[in-house]
Amino acid sequence: MSAELSDIEFEDHGSKGRYVLRGPDGAEAELTFTSAGDNQIIIDHTGVPDAFRGQGAGLRLLTRAVEDARAAGRKIIPLCPFAAAQFRRHPEWADILKS
């Protein structure tokens, strides 16, 4: 995992969780998900405040989720419009996309 992805915090709250990037001013960029059984997650929201705009924060969060899902043998259902668009732009993620 690259250094910039290791800056992302992972929070697991049972069936729900999120990936978070925290800025020095307290701003948080987040990607939230819901577990759908043992083998898949639903990415349902990506929120990037103005403090993170133009820095690739959303893509960094999603990349970390993709790497974690791949390592755990899980599939991703991208309900969030941002995540769905990124999956279309990254064919190398097709192996973990729930079809």
Side-chain angles (χ1 to χ4, degrees):
M1 185 181 320
S2 70
E4 65 183 22
L5 295 182
S6 66
D7 294 340
I8 297 169
E9 296 176 31
F10 174 72
E11 298 177 1
D12 185 358
H13 304 286
S15 65
K16 295 188 176 288
R18 70 182 190 146
Y19 291 90
V20 184
L21 268 172
R22 297 185 201 288
D25 61 352
E28 291 184 349
E30 71 173 359
L31 178 146
T32 63
F33 65 89
T34 302
S35 292
D38 293 334
N39 299 319
Q40 56 192 20
I41 63 169
I42 300 167
I43 294 177
D44 47 32
H45 171 72
T46 304
V48 179
D50 289 340
F52 286 98
R53 298 263 184 227
Q55 300 175 36
L59 183 57
R60 288 171 54 199
L61 292 165
L62 183 54
T63 299
R64 170 73 188 276
V66 165
E67 288 184 4
D68 287 357
R70 188 175 280 137
R74 299 176 101 186
K75 298 285 187 180
I76 292 178
I77 301 167
L79 290 185
C80 163
F82 171 79
Q86 290 302 317
F87 266 90
R88 287 190 296 273
R89 292 183 184 125
H90 293 273
E92 69 274 18
W93 295 347
D95 62 310
I96 62 157
L97 180 62
K98 176 71 175 167
S99 52

